[in-house]
Amino acid sequence: QVQLVESGGGLVPAGGSLRLSCAASGLHFSSYAMAWFRQAPGKEREFVAAIRWSGGSTFYADSVKGRFTISRDNAKNTVYLQMNSLKPEDTAVYYCAADLPPPGRIGTMTYEYDYWGQGTQVTVSS
């Protein structure tokens, strides 16, 4: 079965950096668009970043643009999220997700993604 396993979360001071990883198995990884979402306590899950199957195109929420970078290594079946200049409002559980989108489209909504990881906690202290 499909498994997505996130790692790399933790506690970091404001202004610090973290790199999240998501290892995928049970799917043809290089065919899937991959994304990161996050969910803070009492809030809905929100889109953070996405990357096409080839890695050639990336998309970001306005709130993280210029600070976060999504990348992938199809040889390792892994997607990454490099997070720099972290802010307390970035505190959330971060989830990776996989989708087979229609040609030319990449999703930013939770319902567009077929598979999800269990999440990793990121806490940014002020």
Side-chain angles (χ1 to χ4, degrees):
Q1 73 277 20
V2 175
Q3 281 194 313
L4 303 177
V5 180
E6 301 97 334
S7 60
L11 174 64
V12 62
S17 297
L18 279 175
R19 188 194 196 205
L20 306 183
S21 300
C22 172
S25 60
L27 76 170
H28 192 247
F29 181 77
S30 59
S31 296
Y32 280 74
M34 299 297 296
W36 290 94
F37 288 77
R38 67 187 181 187
Q39 188 166 17
K43 295 189 176 182
E44 294 197 351
R45 195 170 297 188
E46 65 175 4
F47 171 78
V48 175
I51 187 166
R52 289 195 195 279
W53 65 272
S54 65
S57 297
T58 55
F59 306 85
Y60 298 93
D62 288 343
S63 59
V64 306
K65 206 171 289 184
R67 300 188 298 123
F68 291 11
T69 302
I70 188 170
S71 62
R72 66 190 296 160
D73 185 337
N74 286 346
K76 295 182 178 180
N77 285 7
T78 301
V79 62
Y80 306 96
L81 186 68
Q82 178 67 44
M83 306 186 294
N84 299 328
S85 302
L86 282 161
K87 305 175 181 180
E89 51 264 43
D90 294 318
T91 295
V93 177
Y94 283 70
Y95 299 89
C96 72
D99 176 43
L100 273 175
R105 166 131 183 94
I106 192 157
T108 61
M109 306 299 289
T110 56
Y111 66 81
E112 295 178 280
Y113 285 81
D114 302 313
Y115 302 106
W116 292 84
Q118 83 290 347
T120 186
Q121 177 71 46
V122 171
T123 303
V124 184
S125 60
S126 56

